[in-house]
Amino acid sequence: MNLRSYDKSTKMLKLADLAAAGVAIPGENNVLVVGIIDCIQNHSQAMVSNLAFGIRKENAVPLTFNLENFDYLKRLTPATAKYARNYTDFVAKSVAALVRTNLLDCVVAVVDNNVMGLGILEGCTQINCPVLLMPMGINPTYDETMLLAAGKLATREIKATEIDHLTMTYARQVGIAPNDTLSLTFFQLAEALGLTLPGASKLVVNQGATLDFAVATGVAAKERADDIITTKRLISKRTLTESLAQYQANGGNITGVLQFAKLLDMIELKIPTGLFPSLKGNLADEAYVVSADTAPLTTESQAWVYRSLTDALMALTSNAIDNGVIVLQNCLHCDVSIIVQTIVAMNKANDIALITDGYCATTPVLTVANITPNGFDNQDFANIQTGDTIEIDVTKGRLSTNVSSKDMKLRAKRNIAKKYEIYF
């Protein structure tokens, strides 16, 4: 039996193996079994019940499973950003094993963040199992909340240290955890690629329409199982290009696209990065511009280096930075949009730029994100210091500094910043 490929023929082979071993197989062997993977467990019982109803309505069998939410692991260690990729891989392996063990014909997953969602998609793609996502708690109003917070930061109505309190207040008011821009763009692209139903990224939680959508998702999962519509079958080079074009037309940006790099590698497709401006230089092997068309294209200014969102916000709102380039390190897999929103609210979009190894939504600020190697790797980007000169030139695709390679190597030797452990 080929365990790298899981389709109906593989399922028949496994059923035959079980029968030959004398294992009793309940029910009809040709019944479609759809696995519902609940990755939230809080506030999702109604969703799971309605998914099961939709599946049973189509004469298929729903089986429900739970996976530990990513938020739970964030409480165990401060190293979330460092091991987010490792955790995604861990989820993928768990899902692949779950599909094989339970002879599932399709998976529908209730998820509320991009890390868990990617793990589900990659695990199912790895073994060619059809998959659909059911977003839960993706509430676009959180972005509006952060925009309002940026305005209050700019006018000193609140302090940078109050942002965490603000997000907790938001969570209590709407009954769900707040989702960052990174998760929202993930679901926008998943919708564009057909990995969830149309309209999924605009669902507002705790509304009746969301429950109706769950039933529709259950029905669609059964149809996908019937025709064995896997990710590889769903996305071709032509449909990928068309989907990305539509995604961009709807306001999508590189932030969402880069998350799917490994998933598309699995189906032997490469993200056409020529669609997006990329920069190279002695600061990065690769980096992407996430600025809007109205943003400045060049700057050559002093670097202001920070290793946390709070530190950068405190410096910005205390007017310690009039102009220059904010360098935000060690933000891998973090959404840093609150920084650029605050810059805009302070009317400094033409004076201050941002470079980071984190993610950011499209912005009128000159912003370079997704820098590789990242700030954890102790290479050039990790060793930029306040006062260095940073040059960003989008027209020439350049991101560089005036620091010599010899000085960078000396800095790397002296860099004793603690490295987080990588779990899993």
Side-chain angles (χ1 to χ4, degrees), residues 37-40 42-44 46-48 51 108-114 117 132-140 176 179 183-184 186-192 195-207 209-211 213-218:
I37 301 180
D38 183 4
C39 304
I40 303 173
N42 296 320
H43 312 293
S44 59
M47 296 297 161
V48 173
L51 285 167
V108 56
V110 183
V111 292
D112 69 349
N113 64 71
N114 61 298
L132 266 173
L133 297 180
M134 171 66 205
M136 173 69 180
I138 306 301
N139 197 331
I176 58 169
N179 289 94
S183 291
L184 290 173
F186 165 82
F187 279 101
Q188 287 169 352
L189 186 56
E191 181 182 332
L195 297 168
T196 183
L197 294 191
S201 63
K202 296 181 179 65
L203 284 177
V204 177
V205 74
N206 296 334
Q207 288 190 358
T210 315
L211 301 180
F213 192 89
V215 175
T217 301

Side-chain angles (χ1 to χ4, degrees), residues 228-246:
I228 321 176
I229 303 176
T230 63
T231 305
K232 188 169 186 176
R233 182 178 163 190
L234 187 69
I235 307 173
S236 65
K237 186 175 182 178
R238 179 181 63 82
T239 58
L240 175 63
T241 304
E242 291 175 354
S243 297
L244 290 179
Q246 186 60 50

